[in-house]
Amino acid sequence: MQDESKMTPWDMFNMEVPDDHMPARGVHPRAAKAIVNSEAWTDARPEMNLSSFVTTFMEPEEMELAREHILKNHIDHDMYPQLFAMERRMVKWLHTLWNGPADVEPYGAATVGSSEACMLAGLAHKWNWRQARERAGKDATRPNMVTGGNVQIVWKKFLRYFDVEPRIVPLKPGNYRLTAEHLDEYVDENTICVVAIAGQTFTGEDDDIQEIHDWLDAYEKRTGISIPMHIDGASGGFVNPFCYPDYEWDFRLPRVQSINASGHKFGLVPPGLGWVVFRERRIFNEDLIFYVNYLGGEMPTATLNFSRNAVQIALQYYGFIRLGFEGYQRIMTKTVENSQYLRDLLVDSGYFTIMNETQRIPVVALTLKDGFTNFSEFDVSAKVREKGWVLSAYTMPPAAEEVRSLRIVVRPHLNRNVLKGLARDIVDCCKWLEAHGGNATPPALHGHKTTPSKC
Ligand SMILES: *Cc1c(COP(=O)(O)O)cnc(C)c1O
């Protein structure tokens, strides 16, 4: 056993960390910190991880706020009523931002991310559907949900974990969005909701929300069956209101009953924070709310998670106050322009075609031009990794699996000089690969594993 008081930092790096059991005794804090950090050296730099949508910049004041609130468990509403009041107020702000009706009581919650938010919305629609069916004396045992093949993995989790039949409309090469086409083959009286995406992970496009909405109106006229819509605005929820204020993707469409967004994506908060907001209180089925008194005081709880850190809530509140509508608008507009700048540089290189003509969020989705046969998007992604950049390469979901894509999420911390450098690095890699050939094997087709995982 070494005498810690005589250990130098050089010795501390060399502490043995066992693989199969936790260390029997502790070490000096400096040693513990050195070990944690050194073992993570080879991980990506978050700032250069452009496969992710998640925020990687914080102001020093946010670091300070994080330190001040990190020991608070947000679920202890009795102990931290003001943080809870901030959450309530931000739900109202989001309801207004997403053009919810003024004369209703909005309802919503802060969650760990959009995944938890999507599951809560899906459950509310499942409960509402079941109660309506039971009230009408109809079979309520076979719920289904309709969405596009471009959905993020959370919806496939929701469907499996909560026993709802998936009705997933396949994509096709050249069209990666859910539209009203073929909906008649998928929607029926057992459909709990149709989920449409604002800012999808693959190409950054929106599903054809208006067209789907109008189709569901016509379907109701024809059949008497009214089906609600949920909008997955994980990314788009914090882009559309600022960049495209006249575009109706939100509660302005009466059928839209719930919307989720990721505070930790374009909400500009570090992970993990999501939001779910319902058009009005009654959409969030009362049966999903529990009243508990373990923490002192009777308290309603209606999230999948119980304990969670309060830091992200304080930081979202800081962000809204610090930037205001005008600040988010400026940042999101600039970021979308920057993504177009990067896209143009890459298209002008002659190597790529863009995949997302109708892109709304700042994502560049490219595919290599047909002429390049001795390397793939997977090789480009692997090669630029040598420079430290992380870009996703993947095959599209069914039935567009033969299409491969290279995706770059342009986040607000990237300025034009950085993007120019990134474009140069990508083009240099393409030149090298064109001369030497690539050998990265794309993942097998049909695998759910090939969907971008870090979003
Ligand atoms: C990121 C994302 C999710 C999952 O959100 P998390 O915040 O990572 O849990 C769901 N849907 C879409 C469209 C996304 O982009």
Side-chain angles (χ1 to χ4, degrees), residues 53-54 112-116 118 150-155 197-201 232-235 260-262 264-265 273-274 455:
F53 286 85
V54 173
V112 173
S114 273
S115 299
E116 188 189 0
C118 292
N150 53 350
V151 278
Q152 211 265 0
I153 199 72
V154 59
W155 290 106
I197 313 167
Q200 61 150 303
T201 50
D232 181 350
S235 292
N260 69 277
S262 292
H264 55 216
K265 291 182 178 173
L273 181 68
C455 26

Side-chain angles (χ1 to χ4, degrees), residues 360-380:
R360 285 190 183 271
I361 57 169
V363 164
V364 180
L366 303 156
T367 159
L368 273 174
K369 279 195 172 158
D370 284 345
F372 301 103
T373 50
N374 67 336
F375 68 103
S376 72
E377 292 80 355
F378 291 87
D379 292 304
V380 179

